[in-house]
Amino acid sequence: MTTDSLATSSRTPPSEAMWEQLFLRSARPSLSLQGQIREMLVDAILSGVLAPGDAIPSSRELARHLRVGRITVVMAYQQLSEEAFLLSRERKGHFIHPDVLQGRTVTASRSSAKAEDSAEESHTDWSRRLWLRPSLQRSIVKEDNWQRFPFPFLYGQFDKDLFPTAAWRDCCLKALGVVDIRMWAPDHINRDDESLVQQVQTKILPRRGVWASPDEIIITVGAQHALYMVADLLMREGVAIGIEDPCYPDARNIFSSRTSQVMPIPVDDEGLPITQSMQRLEYLYVTPSHQCPTGVTMPLERREALLETAKKHDLIIIEDDYESESSFDEQPIPALKSLDRSNRVIYIGSLSKSMAPGLRVGYIVAPPELIEELRALRRLMIRHPSTFIQRTLAMFISQGHYEAQLRRLGQAQKERHAVLASAMARYMPECRITPVRGGGSCWVQLPDHVSAQALARQAAQNGVLIEPGDVFFTTPGKAGNFIRLGYQSIPANQIDQGIKALADAMHRL
């Protein structure tokens, strides 16, 4: 159909009630009214509610139907006409553009396709083709709608009150400047945004006593992506790697996907101990700043002894330094990487944990020859992380916003931990809290007669979300009764009431 041959459609146009329904379906508080009208029309066109050639109400009529200002509708119509969704014809009104669906494949409806599928009785057996079943691994499970619970004691989630919205928005707008767009918009293939690498090198790493050149740094899609790439590059069946027990479950699952020789080493009140079993290992995964999940910090003397053991037995250490900047101490203990003199520590960090988990930005610091191979591997996986996010974060760090955010977060976590510890002593004195020196969670041992899983179920009925601790242990049956209480996602003024509700749930059991 061409513009000249456009004819009035014989289809019945949507009624006033239909327009209201379409508008309500597209109503999103995050969009302006103009944006909601635009989204309503685009959705109606692309989903087939409106067809090419259909007439739509005048701006005055639609404004009356939707109870909005006419100028709002006029602006939405103008935008959609400029982008060839609508066609304006003088003295005749607006129509769905005749070529709006050009280039889209016409297929049978989804319902008819399903009917055809069910008619074919043969199905592909995917189970016999899968050499790995990640869905069967034991992982941390959290409620999708956790924000609807009044007391979400979950670790690592987002707190809107702690997010620097204005500063982040300002940096996003700056990154959308003409000059900056030309820098981040092209395909970087296997490179990173140089400005972020520079900020990591000069502002982030020195906080932990780590000094690195640009060719020793690679940006990742979060710390977990970093772990996955390191394992992919260095591990295969038969390689022995030691992990903490309890441990970060996703790290354990990543390593177990490469080798069956994953050796758990029980932690104590100072983190990972030095053991004789280490001489049989090739790699060792450790979280020394805030052991996951107990939160304990490895002292300086043990760090030095661990590095000496690694050197003696030619052991490579993978240091996950998460939450290292969230310390309650004025002088945090230096990272293992900063003490390493034999270049055998692979350092992994996160830039999004202190901001918002959804940003997914991490990094690896390692020898140049390893970084070169990691870049080549990353290219096969994702090419590179979003360079727009990289450029925005680089600006955020360079202008001091990140440093200010760390101070704000550290103060909030220290305050919330104190409130939680006080509430636990008041309402649940029979429980033992493992002392921590920072971070956003604490590790709690329940009385012997209380099941962590049963408590989690009962607490959820009271509006309280907690994390049972068994998933962190290599052998679930020997875990003991532990739970992890995160306090980064819950305001300080709700913690006391939340712990009281948790205590009520425990006493019911």
Side-chain angles (χ1 to χ4, degrees):
M1 187 188 298
T2 64
T3 303
D4 293 336
S5 62
L6 183 67
T8 304
S9 173
S10 59
R11 286 157 40 96
T12 303
S15 63
E16 180 175 343
M18 181 73 166
W19 282 113
E20 292 179 1
Q21 191 69 25
L22 289 172
F23 187 61
L24 288 173
R25 191 170 71 180
S26 302
R28 282 198 291 158
S30 59
L31 291 177
S32 64
L33 284 174
Q34 181 180 324
Q36 291 179 49
I37 292 170
R38 175 191 172 94
E39 187 170 295
M40 171 193 71
L41 288 166
V42 170
D43 183 63
I45 292 168
L46 298 183
S47 63
V49 175
L50 297 173
D54 278 355
I56 62 173
S58 67
S59 57
R60 192 182 305 278
E61 288 176 312
L62 189 61
R64 188 179 73 254
H65 293 338
L66 304 183
R67 300 179 183 86
V68 300
R70 184 190 172 200
I71 191 63
T72 302
V73 180
V74 169
M75 295 298 291
Y77 278 9
Q78 183 178 335
Q79 281 187 336
L80 291 170
S81 297
E82 291 172 355
E83 296 177 4
F85 281 97
L86 299 181
L87 179 65
S88 175
R89 303 192 74 197
E90 192 174 354
R91 292 191 296 277
K92 290 189 177 180
H94 285 84
F95 300 83
I96 306 303
H97 199 287
D99 299 329
V100 71
L101 300 181
Q102 188 174 358
R104 295 173 65 88
T105 302
V106 179
T107 60
S109 67
R110 186 176 300 179
S111 58
S112 62
K114 283 185 177 179
E116 290 174 10
D117 287 344
S118 57
E120 303 234 359
E121 295 183 355
S122 61
H123 295 283
T124 302
D125 181 11
W126 287 104
S127 61
R128 67 181 180 84
R129 297 175 180 269
L130 294 168
W131 65 270
L132 179 65
R133 300 293 294 271
S135 64
L136 301 181
Q137 292 179 317
R138 294 166 51 240
S139 303
I140 299 172
V141 178
K142 299 180 182 180
E143 293 280 350
D144 291 337
N145 62 341
W146 65 269
Q147 295 184 78
R148 296 183 182 179
F149 285 74
F151 310 114
F153 288 101
L154 300 178
Y155 170 74
Q157 290 292 13
F158 171 74
D159 184 348
K160 64 182 188 309
D161 295 330
L162 293 178
F163 186 73
T165 304
W168 180 255
R169 182 187 291 121
D170 182 58
C171 291
C172 285
L173 291 174
K174 285 184 171 67
L176 291 172
V178 174
V179 174
D180 286 288
I181 288 178
R182 290 174 180 171
M183 298 299 293
W184 63 256
D187 183 0
H188 283 52
I189 305 177
N190 64 354
R191 295 179 295 109
D192 290 308
D193 187 284
E194 293 178 2
S195 61
L196 180 57
V197 172
Q198 182 185 35
Q199 292 303 316
V200 170
Q201 178 193 11
T202 60
K203 303 278 197 333
I204 304 300
L205 294 177
R207 289 179 60 95
R208 303 294 298 128
V210 177
W211 303 94
S213 57
D215 62 353
E216 294 176 299
I217 301 169
I218 182 174
I219 306 300
T220 63
V221 186
Q224 190 154 318
H225 177 219
L227 287 171
Y228 195 95
M229 287 205 300
V230 168
D232 225 19
L233 202 62
L234 300 179
M235 296 174 196
R236 63 195 182 281
E237 181 52 55
V239 168
I241 175 169
I243 61 171
E244 302 159 321
D245 195 32
C247 176
Y248 176 44
D250 284 348
R252 182 182 66 227
N253 291 339
I254 288 171
F255 302 142
S256 298
S257 299
R258 272 83 180 169
T259 175
S260 59
Q261 302 301 306
V262 178
M263 311 296 187
I265 302 173
V267 301
D268 59 24
D269 289 342
E270 293 185 339
L272 186 76
I274 313 297
T275 66
Q276 289 293 324
S277 63
M278 289 182 178
Q279 59 187 299
R280 302 194 302 270
L281 302 174
E282 294 176 65
Y283 298 95
L284 182 66
Y285 171 72
V286 61
T287 54
S289 292
H290 297 289
Q291 198 278 325
C292 178
T294 66
V296 300
T297 300
M298 184 183 291
L300 181 61
E301 296 76 12
R302 182 173 290 189
R303 295 182 187 222
E304 292 173 337
L306 181 60
L307 288 170
E308 187 60 34
T309 299
K311 181 179 178 181
K312 180 179 179 181
H313 299 296
D314 191 24
L315 178 64
I316 298 297
I317 297 175
I318 302 169
E319 178 183 15
D320 187 346
D321 205 29
Y322 86 104
E323 283 198 324
S324 59
E325 295 160 325
S326 301
S327 174
F328 301 159
D329 300 328
E330 291 186 5
Q331 293 295 329
I333 299 175
L336 278 172
K337 181 67 175 176
S338 72
L339 305 170
D340 178 26
R341 297 294 176 265
S342 55
N343 214 15
R344 61 181 59 256
V345 175
I346 299 172
Y347 183 83
I348 293 175
S350 170
L351 292 171
S352 48
K353 264 192 169 53
S354 53
M355 295 274 291
L359 288 176
R360 309 306 308 151
V361 184
Y363 57 89
I364 302 173
V365 180
E369 55 268 35
L370 182 56
I371 294 295
E372 182 181 2
E373 297 303 327
L374 286 167
R375 289 193 180 281
L377 175 63
R378 190 188 67 179
R379 174 181 178 168
L380 299 177
M381 301 173 71
I382 60 168
R383 295 181 82 81
H384 57 77
S386 164
T387 43
F388 171 68
I389 295 294
Q390 290 189 52
R391 176 57 59 109
T392 302
L393 191 51
M395 291 183 178
F396 190 84
I397 298 171
S398 68
Q399 295 182 18
H401 298 310
Y402 190 78
E403 186 78 19
Q405 170 66 5
L406 292 178
R407 289 197 297 268
R408 181 165 51 247
L409 178 65
Q411 183 58 41
Q413 289 183 337
K414 187 174 183 178
E415 176 190 358
R416 294 178 188 191
H417 177 268
V419 174
L420 185 140
S422 175
M424 289 290 294
R426 186 181 309 116
Y427 301 119
M428 304 176 71
E430 58 270 67
C431 298
R432 176 184 177 272
I433 300 181
T434 299
V436 296
R437 300 172 62 173
S441 68
C442 62
W443 188 241
V444 179
Q445 185 169 17
L446 303 173
D448 291 340
H449 65 279
V450 178
S451 161
Q453 292 287 350
L455 178 59
R457 290 191 294 270
Q458 182 66 50
Q461 297 179 22
N462 288 18
V464 182
L465 292 180
I466 61 174
E467 295 179 82
D470 59 327
V471 71
F472 296 95
F473 289 87
T474 304
T475 306
K478 301 178 181 178
N481 285 341
F482 293 93
I483 61 172
R484 182 169 70 168
L485 294 178
Y487 40 79
Q488 184 170 323
S489 310
I490 180 170
N493 59 9
Q494 295 181 22
I495 290 176
D496 187 90
Q497 187 179 354
I499 295 299
K500 185 176 185 302
L502 178 62
D504 291 342
M506 188 177 76
H507 296 148
R508 283 200 191 95
L509 294 177

